[in-house]
Amino acid sequence: MTPKRVFLTGGAGFVATRMVEHLAGSAWQTHASSTDILDGEALQAELRQCQPDIVLHLAAQSHVPTSFREPELTARVNFDGTRSLLTALDQSGFAGALVFVGSGDMYGLAPETSLPIRETQALRPRNPYAASKVAAEAWCMQHSLHSQYRIVMARAFNHIGRGQNAQFVLPAMAEQLVAIERGQRPPILETGDLDVTRDFTNVSDVLDAYLALAEKGVSGEVYNVCSGLEYRVRDLVAQMIVMTGLDIQLQNDPARFRKAEQTRVVGDNSKLRADTGWAPKVDIAASLAEILDDWRARA
């Protein structure tokens, strides 16, 4: 791909931080913005100065339990923040490609007969976070019809890897396992519902997907960013326990269970593959080892 200038909203977040590392040493230039996404004037000034070819819109309030506690904040950051960014792009003379990062959670209550989930599946969000992303994506879609720049929309399923915080299931398990390894807590792993399935992709593969969409994605189109593989969370936790070599008991923690949980999730990535040539490279065992090693290094 031709080297580009890449502007990242949500510059202090997990994915943006990894993108800066991902492109370090390459001919690509990255600018990780820490500007408040709701501050349109500051965004516009920063965009004019940076003059990016690609904007990856990563800024979000993405923690589902927080979205239930603070739905207004979630709507402001995710929906109003997206509108603010689009206005700033319009007014700054941007002429490149915007990749709006949505979520596989937008599909919500998808029947098992619809698996693997395709982009044509009806959106039935089951939490305020997902609902705010549906609204923001719709705003991007209508904007793409009259915009002078390309707008491509990604629906990213669960992504994992080094740097992710313990608000999410696998790093939460890794944090506990490392504490057990170090004798800082008893050999009991507190868990939520482990019998759900999810489609996990290593964050480095997700980053490559975003860049591929910025280069080759069709404006106004939506793409699933996912591995296309279904993993039961219980099996992944068991693999992580084996990696520690410890004898560990599992204990349900009611606080870790979510309301209106989707039992099974797996996406179809054939559209992304066909339009961009992207394919995931990092297997699940390497991802789990990466997460454990990350928490060992943090400790």
Side-chain angles (χ1 to χ4, degrees), residues 149-183:
Y149 48 91
R150 293 168 48 242
I151 302 177
V152 181
M153 291 149 289
R155 292 176 184 161
F157 286 60
N158 296 71
H159 37 290
I160 53 176
R162 174 174 49 81
Q164 194 172 29
N165 68 46
Q167 290 180 323
F168 301 93
V169 59
L170 294 180
M173 298 300 100
E175 181 185 36
Q176 292 184 66
L177 287 170
V178 170
I180 294 168
E181 280 184 329
R182 294 173 181 266

Side-chain angles (χ1 to χ4, degrees), residues 235-255:
D235 296 335
L236 300 186
V237 172
Q239 286 186 54
M240 294 173 79
I241 291 172
V242 169
M243 289 176 179
T244 68
L246 299 173
D247 182 13
I248 293 176
Q249 296 179 343
L250 304 182
Q251 179 176 291
N252 285 340
D253 177 2

